[in-house]
């Protein structure tokens, strides 16, 4: 398994629960979760990826029943808001729980991965056929492994890069399908403030924790991230950009300029002190949201052995879609062996 995001973890968890042995997940970063990422910074934790989750389908709701029982998640708010182009702040009509993990959204992924063999700091570089097996080359030790089945649970452009050595034996349609998946980028900025500034926000926007900015050229969303925490935490806001704005800053070296522009835009749209933060940290999500997700759960071939590609580019754009895509791969593998 390559990729310890929600699709990869869900797949590995399901396979292991079904009794399959020898499952290992190779993850290039230092933690699990993908967009369910949480970073420790300035004496608090901050969610700069997925900010909240609202389960829709029965299978994902069943997972959240487990997460609630385990005290991993709880309701953050049942009402979100929208800031219109004209500056009106409107409560959204749909009232239902928006769940968060007070310990950080990555706690959801950690809960699912607690019994899995996840190997961090190991980026998949390439894959080649080796008889009836796959030879996966990794950046890190070990540098190569042999596997009967490989699952690439990563963004489609990254999967295309890993599969490059197989271009001569893979069906052209298979690679074309992966190449056709494009992504919108996004920039997330976490910024810390004072208790005085927080009090001014709560006076101006009482009980407002999540705001979607419609038709704004720079800001897509803003949330009061510190309101998720149980323990007293320094006030923190997370700002997310629009895709068009993020496309103007394709390099991580440009993040300081992007962050400044986003905070200045928040100053114009909300309160004047947004650029006067105690600290700020931007992050570029190069593969934030697939532009046109596939309607199926995975792509697969059987030459020379089973190979699956899945991820958040399947079924839809949400964490729930990635979870269901991972389960579908596990079920397809179990059915083929059963």
């Amino acid at each position: 398994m390559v990729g310890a995001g929600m699709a990869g973890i869900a797949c590995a968890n399901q396979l292991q629960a079904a009794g399959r042995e020898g499952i290992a997940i190779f993850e290039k970063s230092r933690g699990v979760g993908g967009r369910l990422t949480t970073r420790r910074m300035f004496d608090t934790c901050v969610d700069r990826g997925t900010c909240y989750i609202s389960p829709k389908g029965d299978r994902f709701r069943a997972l959240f029943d487990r997460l609630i029982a385990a005290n991993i998640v709880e309701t953050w708010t049942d009402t979100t808001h929208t800031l219109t182009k004209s500056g009106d702040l409107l409560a959204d009509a749909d009232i239902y729980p928006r769940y968060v993990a007070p310990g950080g959204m990555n706690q959801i992924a950690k809960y699912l991965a607690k019994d899995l063999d996840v190997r961090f700091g190991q980026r998949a570089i390439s894959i080649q056929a080796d008889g009836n097996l796959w030879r996966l080359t990794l950046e890190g030790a070990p540098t190569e492994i042999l596997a009967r089945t490989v699952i690439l649970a990563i963004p489609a452009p990254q999967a295309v890069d890993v599969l490059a050595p197989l271009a001569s034996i893979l069906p052209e349609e298979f690679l074309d399908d992966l190449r056709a998946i494009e992504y919108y980028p996004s920039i997330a900025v976490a910024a810390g403030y004072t208790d005085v500034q927080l009090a001014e926000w709560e006076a101006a926007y009482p009980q407002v924790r999540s705001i979607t900015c419609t038709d704004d050229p720079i800001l897509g969303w803003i949330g009061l991230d510190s309101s998720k925490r149980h323990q007293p935490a320094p006030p923190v806001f997370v700002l997310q950009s629009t895709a068009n704005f993020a496309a103007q800053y394709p390099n991580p070296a440009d993040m300081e300029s992007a962050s400044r522009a986003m905070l200045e835009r928040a100053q114009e749209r909300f309160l004047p002190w947004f650029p006067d933060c105690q600290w700020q940290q931007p992050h570029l999500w190069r593969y934030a949201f697939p532009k046109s997700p596939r309607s199926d759960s995975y792509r697969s071939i059987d030459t020379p052995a089973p190979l699956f590609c899945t991820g958040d580019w399947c079924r839809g754009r949400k964490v729930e879609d990635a979870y269901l895509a991972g389960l579908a791969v596990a079920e397809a593998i179990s059915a083929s062996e059963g």
Side-chain angles (χ1 to χ4, degrees):
M1 178 83 66
V2 176
M6 181 57 88
I9 292 171
C11 182
N13 201 294
Q14 184 85 347
L15 287 171
Q16 190 160 288
R20 188 180 177 97
E21 299 179 348
I23 301 169
I25 304 178
F26 298 92
E27 168 57 44
K28 67 178 182 178
S29 70
R30 296 174 296 172
V32 296
R35 279 187 294 161
L36 286 174
T37 181
T38 303
R39 288 291 179 265
R40 188 79 190 176
M41 56 183 77
F42 300 93
D43 298 322
T44 190
C45 59
V46 180
D47 298 322
R48 58 185 186 182
T50 299
C51 298
Y52 62 83
I53 297 175
S54 299
K56 303 298 182 185
D58 291 342
R59 299 190 77 175
F60 205 50
R61 286 180 182 274
L63 169 63
F64 266 70
D65 287 343
R66 289 164 49 200
L67 294 170
I68 293 168
N71 295 316
I72 303 296
V73 302
E74 64 184 25
T75 300
W76 179 41
T77 181
D78 60 7
T79 304
T80 54
H81 293 76
T82 296
L83 183 69
T84 67
K85 187 176 182 179
S86 61
D88 297 322
L89 186 65
L90 306 175
D92 297 333
D94 296 330
I95 297 177
Y96 50 83
R98 276 75 169 180
Y99 292 101
V100 299
M105 294 298 279
N106 65 349
Q107 296 302 310
I108 297 173
K110 287 182 176 182
Y111 174 83
L112 288 173
K114 63 180 187 243
D115 297 321
L116 300 177
D117 178 9
V118 185
R119 306 177 189 183
F120 299 108
Q122 295 194 296
R123 182 174 67 90
I125 298 174
S126 64
I127 184 172
Q128 295 176 301
D130 190 326
N132 292 325
L133 299 172
W134 296 113
R135 181 178 296 274
L136 187 63
T137 301
L138 301 163
E139 187 179 80
T143 57
E144 289 188 336
I145 63 162
L146 291 174
R148 290 183 300 165
T149 302
V150 168
I151 303 160
L152 300 179
I154 54 180
Q158 294 178 346
V160 170
D161 291 341
V162 174
L163 294 170
L166 297 177
S168 62
I169 67 171
L170 292 180
E172 191 65 25
E173 179 185 0
F174 181 86
L175 289 173
D176 285 345
D177 282 350
L178 294 180
R179 293 187 186 111
I181 304 298
E182 297 180 296
Y183 281 77
Y184 293 114
S186 179
I187 296 170
V189 175
Y193 295 90
T194 66
D195 290 336
V196 171
Q197 290 166 318
L198 175 62
E200 291 180 3
W201 171 272
E202 292 177 336
Y205 304 101
Q207 301 301 313
V208 175
R209 296 181 171 182
S210 168
I211 301 175
T212 299
C213 304
T214 60
D215 298 319
D216 192 284
I218 297 177
L219 292 181
W221 182 87
I222 182 171
L224 181 55
D225 190 81
S226 52
S227 64
K228 303 174 183 178
R229 313 300 163 213
H230 282 169
Q231 300 299 323
V236 176
F237 286 84
V238 171
L239 293 72
Q240 294 182 354
S241 77
T242 63
N244 287 340
F245 176 80
Q248 301 173 37
Y249 298 88
N251 299 314
D254 300 329
M255 289 302 98
E256 184 176 345
S257 297
S259 178
R260 187 184 314 113
M262 291 172 64
L263 292 169
E264 289 174 351
R265 186 59 175 169
Q267 176 185 39
E268 297 171 6
R269 308 265 1 226
F270 298 103
L271 292 170
W273 42 254
F274 264 97
D276 301 323
C277 49
Q278 302 295 296
W279 54 267
Q280 55 87 19
Q281 188 172 103
H283 179 75
L284 171 64
W285 292 99
R286 199 177 303 278
Y287 304 116
F289 305 103
K291 293 183 179 180
S292 300
R294 293 182 57 87
S295 58
D296 51 7
S297 297
Y298 55 84
R299 293 289 287 138
S300 66
I301 57 169
D302 292 312
T303 306
L307 171 68
F308 291 81
C309 295
T310 190
D312 62 1
W313 48 274
C314 297
R315 300 180 63 98
R317 298 183 173 90
K318 297 184 180 297
V319 172
E320 181 168 356
D321 300 312
Y323 176 77
L324 295 175
L327 294 185
V329 172
E331 290 164 354
I333 292 172
S334 296
S336 68
E337 296 178 349

